[in-house]
């Protein structure tokens, strides 16, 4: 009965989650950013967003290469559909693994008892609408769920079989490898994977086993970190630099937490789950429940660390640390997104629960019925809340409005902006303001141009190229170039060719913007804003009226052009633009810390003063008739 009810619960939750996620399917603009990198990989340009400029525009390394492999398996399928299928599959798999890990946690206590296994924490998770929104989205959210579910299941397995027969070396290596990959799934998950590795090292018997754990857990992350430093010239992903992940915005983080909690009253399942967990813990401590027979050569500390209790504490503390990290960071501009992984961790130890059938062995029938009734009543309350939360309107009228909080329901925002209930492909985003006009502007400028967003949603402001050979530094054989300067990198990047450079003012794909200072009161996730004057200065574009739009100042453009000659700035730009050679790779590794810390001032004049460069003086304008 116990096993059957478990698999029924798993099947029901997987079906409900998969169906609910499919009903809310979409691919976010940020998801399309990843696919632009995959396109460059397929084209042989390397893991970059723009060919010839080594910028790591994606946070999750594993997600990028997983989609790259998936594109080969998918064959003729569009990349968007590959991302949709992989994300949805991994999301459902993550919830399944979470439930199986928790069921294994309770297994020793149920060997001589009959029980009905019911979904609890897993039901809470899939009831939260953002969980179903980001089960697709093209982002790495599904990968994070699958990773956390797998690590939880493996850690529970590691904690339980402490019997006379030790675990196989292959399993230990596999667990260490999975734990070590945390930082490549998402950098902040290193808090979880790193803690798991520390627990394994403490519990390991012998230095040989410890060395094996270190090698298996650290080889791939360390190798990739060396690659990142040499190839991108940074210690962290480009997205972490663009968002200054080391900074803190506690007040905004509390606003984000409230924004996630309020629409769904998340305190309600907490009130129900805490006493439910306490009752289950009390039931597990009954003397008749089977306990594992510990190996005789295990010390007290090792036994304490490699135990189900320690693994539960590890998962709960990891969830709390993840939540605190994101609150400190200020959260995100996408409603609920970054708090989903912490919620997933906190719900893991009670993802499924056993409702014991009273038999009078471990408890009197009266006590057994009382306990079963209490668990059942709490579960029914949880199920009622889940039904209500699953149909919640979420943020309501503010879902698609960028208010003072800066937080929106990203899926609903893009569905409304494109007029499509399920924006999935890059072509669907051509209905987004300015998008169709991008293609028109590119087709109308075969001689090359810089495209700047206009106040008119049906057109772009164009800055023409300087004719080849007509100015110093402009080669005579320079081919026509196009650059688009816009916030929404994904939809632009996937709708234009790879020969078109696409950059933003935030710094996700723009090395100049990434190295500016974070704005104190900027919108969360959009904390940097590079003036377009820098973009005009940093390219073969006309830098004087009437070639530049009226809202640009020619003096500012000239000052930005001069500021780009600052030796430190040149070194940073060369680290990502100069041809990749062995010497360049080694130089980038040696200077990665310096480049990561380097910042430029958004105001060109301030940057000139900081670098000690001369302020350019423009010739006086000719007199008007």
């Amino acid at each position: 009965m116990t096993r059957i009810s478990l698999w029924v619960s798993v099947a029901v939750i997987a079906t409900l989650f998969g169906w609910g996620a499919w009903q809310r399917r979409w691919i976010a603009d940020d998801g399309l950013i990843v696919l632009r990198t995959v396109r460059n990989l397929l084209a042989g340009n390397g893991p970059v967003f723009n060919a010839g400029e080594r910028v790591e525009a994606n946070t999750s390394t594993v997600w990028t290469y997983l989609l790259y492999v998936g594109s080969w398996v998918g064959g003729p399928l569009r990349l968007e559909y590959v991302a949709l299928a992989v994300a949805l599959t991994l999301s459902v798999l993550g919830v399944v693994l979470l439930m199986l890990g928790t069921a294994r946690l309770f297994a020793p206590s149920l060997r001589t008892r009959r029980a009905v296994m019911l979904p609890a924490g897993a039901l809470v998770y899939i009831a939260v609408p953002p969980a179903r929104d980001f089960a697709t989205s093209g982002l790495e959210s599904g990968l994070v769920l699958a990773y956390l579910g797998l690590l939880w299941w493996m850690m529970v397995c590691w904690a339980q079989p402490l019997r006379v027969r030790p675990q196989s070396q292959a399993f230990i290596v596999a667990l260490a490898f999975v734990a070590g990959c945390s930082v490549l799934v998402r950098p902040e998950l290193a808090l979880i994977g790193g803690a798991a590795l520390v627990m394994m090292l403490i519990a390991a018997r012998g230095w040989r086993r410890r060395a094996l754990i270190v090698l298996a857990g650290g080889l791939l992350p360390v190798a990739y970190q060396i690659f990142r430093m040499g190839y991108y010239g940074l210690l962290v992903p480009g997205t972490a630099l663009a968002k200054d992940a080391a900074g803190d915005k506690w007040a905004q983080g509390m606003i984000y937490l409230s924004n996630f909690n309020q629409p769904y009253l998340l305190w309600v399942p907490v009130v129900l789950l805490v006493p439910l967990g306490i009752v289950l813990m009390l039931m597990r401590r009954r003397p008749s429940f089977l306990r594992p027979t510990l190996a005789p050569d295990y010390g007290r500390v090792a036994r304490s660390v490699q135990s189900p209790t320690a693994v539960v504490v590890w998962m709960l503390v990891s969830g709390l640390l993840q939540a605190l990290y994101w609150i400190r960071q200020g959260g995100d501009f996408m409603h609920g997104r970054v708090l989903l992984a912490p919620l997933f961790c906190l719900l893991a130890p009670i993802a499924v629960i056993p409702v014991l059938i009273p038999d009078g062995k471990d408890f009197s029938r009266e006590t057994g019925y009382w306990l079963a009734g209490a668990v059942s009543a709490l579960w029914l309350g949880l199920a009622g809340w889940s039904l209500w939360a699953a149909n919640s309107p979420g943020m309501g009228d503010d879902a698609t409005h960028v208010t003072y909080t800066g937080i929106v329901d990203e899926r609903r925002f893009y569905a409304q902006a494109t007029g499509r209930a399920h924006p999935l492909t890059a072509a669907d985003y051509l209905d987004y303001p300015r998008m169709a006009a991008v293609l028109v502007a590119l087709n109308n400028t075969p001689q090359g141009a810089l495209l700047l967003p206009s106040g008119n949603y049906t057109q772009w402001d164009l800055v023409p190229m300087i004719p080849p050979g007509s100015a110093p530094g402009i080669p005579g054989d320079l081919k026509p170039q196009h650059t688009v300067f816009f916030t929404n990198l994904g939809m632009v990047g996937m709708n234009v060719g790879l020969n078109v450079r696409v950059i933003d003012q935030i710094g996700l794909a723009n090395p100049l913007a990434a190295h500016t200072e974070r704005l104190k009161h900027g919108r969360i996730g959009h904390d940097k804003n590079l003036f377009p004057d820098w973009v005009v200065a940093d390219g073969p574009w006309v830098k004087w009226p009437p070639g530049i739009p009226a809202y640009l100042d020619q003096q500012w453009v000239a000052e930005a052009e001069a500021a780009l000659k600052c030796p430190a700035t040149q070194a940073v730009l060369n680290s990502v633009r100069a041809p990749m050679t062995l010497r360049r790779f080694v130089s980038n590794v040696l200077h990665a810390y310096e480049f990561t810390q380097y910042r430029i001032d958004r105001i060109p004049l301030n940057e000139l003063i900081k670098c000690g460069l001369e302020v350019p003086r423009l010739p006086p304008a000719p007199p008007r008739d």
Side-chain angles (χ1 to χ4, degrees):
M1 176 182 292
T2 303
R3 187 179 297 272
I4 293 174
S5 61
L6 170 63
W7 285 109
V8 169
S9 295
V10 169
V12 169
I13 291 297
T15 301
L16 288 176
F17 189 37
W19 176 79
W22 179 256
Q23 293 298 313
R24 304 167 84 97
R25 64 194 180 277
W26 69 303
I27 298 291
D29 176 68
D30 285 44
L32 295 176
I33 291 177
V34 181
L35 298 186
R36 165 89 172 191
T37 301
V38 175
R39 283 178 64 197
N40 272 300
L41 277 168
L42 293 170
N45 297 326
V48 299
F49 192 81
N50 291 302
E53 197 166 59
R54 296 180 295 276
V55 174
E56 190 177 14
N58 309 327
T59 303
S60 175
T61 302
V62 174
W63 182 239
T64 300
Y65 287 97
L66 186 62
L67 291 184
Y68 173 63
V69 173
S71 65
W72 285 100
V73 177
L77 282 178
R78 292 182 63 108
L79 283 175
E80 294 93 324
Y81 296 141
V82 172
L84 177 70
V86 175
L88 182 56
T89 301
L90 290 177
S91 295
V92 175
L93 179 62
V95 174
V96 169
L97 288 170
L98 190 80
M99 296 176 71
L100 294 179
T102 306
R104 172 137 189 172
L105 185 70
F106 288 112
S109 301
L110 301 175
R111 285 178 182 160
T112 60
R113 300 296 307 273
R114 291 188 303 162
V116 176
M117 301 296 290
L118 295 176
L123 186 62
V124 171
Y125 183 81
I126 70 168
V128 180
R132 302 194 301 279
D133 287 345
F134 291 101
T136 55
S137 82
L139 296 167
E140 70 280 354
S141 302
L143 171 66
V144 170
L145 294 191
Y147 175 78
L148 291 175
L150 176 62
L151 186 58
W152 166 246
W153 177 80
M154 294 185 76
M155 285 295 287
V156 171
C157 293
W158 171 77
Q160 284 187 334
L162 270 179
R163 303 189 180 98
V164 177
R165 179 180 171 185
Q167 288 170 328
S168 70
Q169 184 168 288
F171 177 82
I172 296 298
V173 169
L175 176 56
F177 176 79
V178 170
C181 285
S182 58
V183 69
L184 300 179
V185 175
R186 274 196 69 90
E188 71 276 4
L189 294 184
L191 295 172
I192 298 178
L197 286 172
V198 170
M199 292 174 67
M200 294 179 67
L201 288 172
I202 293 173
R205 286 177 286 182
W207 290 106
R208 183 176 180 181
R209 177 64 63 91
R210 290 188 177 94
L212 191 63
I213 291 171
V214 170
L215 182 63
L219 182 60
L220 184 59
V222 170
Y224 186 80
Q225 180 62 20
I226 295 172
F227 170 78
R228 171 181 284 145
M229 294 165 64
Y231 192 76
Y232 299 109
L234 295 174
L235 295 175
V236 296
T239 52
L241 177 65
K243 299 182 180 183
D244 269 349
D248 62 85
K249 286 191 173 184
W250 285 103
Q252 177 64 27
M254 294 306 297
I255 292 173
Y256 188 79
L257 176 63
S258 175
N259 177 270
F260 183 43
N261 166 71
Q262 188 173 5
Y264 318 114
L265 302 180
L266 288 175
W267 59 268
V268 173
V270 172
V271 169
L272 296 171
L273 286 172
V274 169
L276 191 58
I278 292 174
V279 170
L280 292 173
M281 287 178 63
L282 291 173
M283 293 168 64
R284 279 176 55 83
R285 287 202 293 262
R286 299 297 294 179
S288 59
F289 285 165
L290 292 180
R291 299 177 185 272
T293 303
L294 301 178
D297 58 339
Y298 260 62
R300 178 178 299 178
V301 174
R303 288 199 300 267
S304 299
V305 170
Q306 193 171 356
S307 67
T309 301
V311 169
V312 168
V313 171
W314 159 75
M315 197 61 165
L316 292 177
V317 171
S318 294
L320 288 173
L321 289 177
Q322 290 289 304
L324 284 173
Y325 168 81
W326 283 113
I327 292 171
R328 177 185 180 274
Q329 176 69 10
D332 193 38
F333 63 94
M334 301 185 194
H335 170 62
R337 177 199 170 199
V338 297
L339 291 180
L340 290 175
L343 178 65
F344 196 73
C345 293
L346 292 172
L347 293 172
I350 202 166
V352 292
I353 60 170
V355 179
L356 297 177
I357 299 175
D359 56 9
K361 294 181 179 179
D362 297 288
F363 304 97
S364 67
R365 285 190 178 273
E366 181 180 351
T367 303
Y369 280 120
W370 182 87
L371 288 172
V375 172
S376 298
L378 290 170
W379 183 85
L380 287 173
L382 202 65
W385 172 88
S386 298
L387 183 62
W388 170 81
N391 295 281
S392 167
M395 292 179 63
D397 294 336
D398 288 337
T400 59
H401 301 143
V402 183
T403 63
Y404 77 96
T405 67
I407 305 167
V408 297
D409 184 326
E410 193 82 346
R411 183 188 63 84
R412 289 173 61 184
F413 176 87
Y414 281 118
Q416 182 183 80
T418 61
R420 297 175 180 270
H422 306 290
L424 290 173
T425 67
D428 291 339
Y429 280 93
L430 289 175
D431 293 324
Y432 189 82
R434 294 192 178 95
M435 283 304 99
V438 169
L439 303 184
V440 174
L442 293 175
N443 289 332
N444 290 341
T445 54
Q447 72 280 11
L450 166 65
L451 278 63
L452 301 176
S454 166
N456 186 337
Y457 283 175
T458 62
Q459 69 182 44
W460 287 74
D461 291 331
L462 304 177
V463 179
M465 283 184 63
I466 299 175
S470 63
I474 306 298
D477 58 349
L478 185 65
K479 296 181 180 179
Q481 299 178 16
H482 285 99
T483 295
V484 182
F485 182 61
F486 195 50
T487 306
N488 299 96
L489 290 170
M491 61 181 73
V492 176
M494 285 297 288
N495 275 303
V496 302
L498 295 179
N499 60 325
V500 178
R501 184 169 177 252
V502 182
I503 56 175
D504 62 319
Q505 71 269 36
I506 301 169
L508 295 178
N510 186 344
L512 271 177
H515 285 279
T516 58
E517 293 286 352
R518 189 182 193 186
L519 299 176
K520 184 177 181 181
H521 299 294
R523 183 190 177 195
I524 191 67
H526 300 70
D527 305 79
K528 298 187 177 183
N529 187 11
L530 187 72
F531 296 119
D533 309 73
W534 288 92
V535 183
V536 176
D538 184 34
W541 319 115
V542 170
K543 297 171 176 55
W544 51 85
I548 58 176
Y551 53 79
L552 295 184
D553 187 286
Q554 185 180 0
Q555 178 65 32
W556 269 53
V557 173
E559 290 172 357
E561 186 178 20
L564 288 172
K565 294 182 173 62
C566 179
T569 302
Q570 283 288 307
V572 169
L573 294 178
N574 285 336
S575 72
V576 298
R577 292 178 178 175
M580 178 49 61
T581 62
L582 179 59
R583 183 173 181 176
R584 168 58 53 194
F585 188 93
V586 173
S587 175
N588 282 357
V589 169
L590 296 177
H591 295 91
Y593 176 80
E594 175 187 344
F595 294 155
T596 304
Q597 298 299 314
Y598 184 70
R599 296 293 183 272
I600 64 173
D601 198 298
R602 295 167 61 242
I603 300 175
L605 180 59
N606 292 347
E607 183 65 13
L608 286 173
I609 295 173
K610 184 180 74 173
C611 287
L613 298 176
E614 184 178 353
V615 178
R617 300 296 179 187
L618 297 178
R624 296 183 178 181
D625 296 334

